[in-house]
Amino acid sequence: MHKVYPASSAEILHLEEARPQVSSVNPFVNDSLLKPTSAYEVFKYVVLGATLMPARLTLTIWMLVWVYVIARLGTLFLSREVRMGQRPLSTARRRFLYPVRLIARLMLFVWGYHWVSTTGKPAGRDEAPVITANHVTFVDILWMFYAFGASPVGKAELLTTPVIGPVATAVQTIFVDRSRGKSRSETLEAIKSRALQPGWPQVLLFPEGTTTN
């Protein structure tokens, strides 16, 4: 029979000190841009916000207009099977829509991402039919689409979003209706089907789901 003796105050204190400290930092939230750390940072916010920001917004609007026009023209007279994501786009339509990838990179350049360092070479569809990536800001989807030309998995609400809706259709997005439980299994089957069948672009999947997770 084992006897249990009460721990002394020193032993309790030692255990408390040895206990791992839990960090209160959320690794999925970046609020550094909202908290200038110096007078110089405040100066940059004020000056660049009044000069550079209007120019960037103007250029972004023009690029969105071009993307919308290209997406609209590239999806004219689509068959129901293609529009519903049951068949891939033809080679001619994919080539016509290719400038959308270049505009995505140009948009990143306008917003200050002049050079993005990479390691290695992007895997092709035969090697990686499904790609997973972090999803923190709009930059993620722009860069991944430019680099891979992949079809993302996105929420069904994108279909009714101005400008974004036609573009999402043009890149053959796999839409998830989060209000329907059955939509999850349908999405899984769509991902598996595209991964196994030739002719489809790579599938881009964000495990985090949204930028607010």
Side-chain angles (χ1 to χ4, degrees):
M1 186 177 199
H2 297 284
K3 294 183 179 181
V4 179
Y5 297 96
S8 64
S9 300
E11 289 174 327
I12 295 176
L13 180 61
H14 176 72
L15 290 175
E16 289 293 334
E17 292 176 348
R19 179 181 299 175
Q21 298 297 317
V22 179
S23 174
S24 60
V25 177
N26 187 342
F28 299 105
V29 176
N30 178 15
D31 58 358
S32 60
L33 296 178
L34 303 179
K35 298 178 180 178
T37 56
S38 65
Y40 175 65
E41 292 292 329
V42 174
F43 174 78
K44 286 199 302 183
Y45 270 82
V46 174
V47 174
L48 297 181
T51 57
L52 191 57
M53 184 64 72
R56 284 177 167 175
L57 288 175
T58 301
L59 290 172
T60 300
I61 291 172
W62 274 107
M63 286 185 285
L64 288 175
V65 169
W66 277 107
V67 165
Y68 176 81
V69 171
I70 295 172
R72 277 294 190 185
L73 293 176
T75 54
L76 284 176
F77 310 115
L78 277 182
S79 65
R80 185 177 183 278
E81 290 81 6
V82 176
R83 191 172 293 277
M84 296 296 293
Q86 298 171 356
R87 282 193 332 176
L89 291 172
S90 65
T91 302
R93 287 185 185 270
R94 287 203 300 269
R95 289 176 178 172
F96 182 84
L97 291 167
Y98 185 79
V100 175
R101 292 177 63 176
L102 302 180
I103 294 175
R105 181 63 185 96
L106 182 59
M107 193 174 296
L108 289 174
F109 184 88
V110 167
W111 283 96
Y113 297 90
H114 303 148
W115 179 260
V116 179
S117 60
T118 58
T119 302
K121 182 180 179 181
R125 188 195 181 282
D126 293 338
E127 184 180 355
V130 179
I131 311 166
T132 60
N134 295 331
H135 194 20
V136 181
T137 68
F138 72 95
V139 173
D140 310 318
I141 181 66
L142 290 177
W143 174 256
M144 295 300 291
F145 178 67
Y146 162 72
F148 294 93
S151 297
V153 176
K155 57 185 179 181
E157 291 85 349
L158 292 175
L159 278 170
T160 56
T161 304
V163 181
I164 302 300
V167 177
T169 301
V171 300
Q172 296 203 291
T173 301
I174 298 176
F175 295 104
V176 183
D177 186 353
R178 293 180 292 185
S179 64
R180 293 194 308 115
K182 190 178 179 181
S183 181
R184 299 179 181 179
S185 59
E186 294 172 350
T187 300
L188 179 60
E189 289 301 318
I191 294 173
K192 291 168 58 178
S193 176
R194 293 195 186 189
L196 296 174
Q197 294 181 15
W200 288 99
Q202 292 166 289
V203 176
L204 175 58
L205 179 64
F206 296 111
E208 296 170 15
T210 67
T211 59
T212 55
N213 280 4

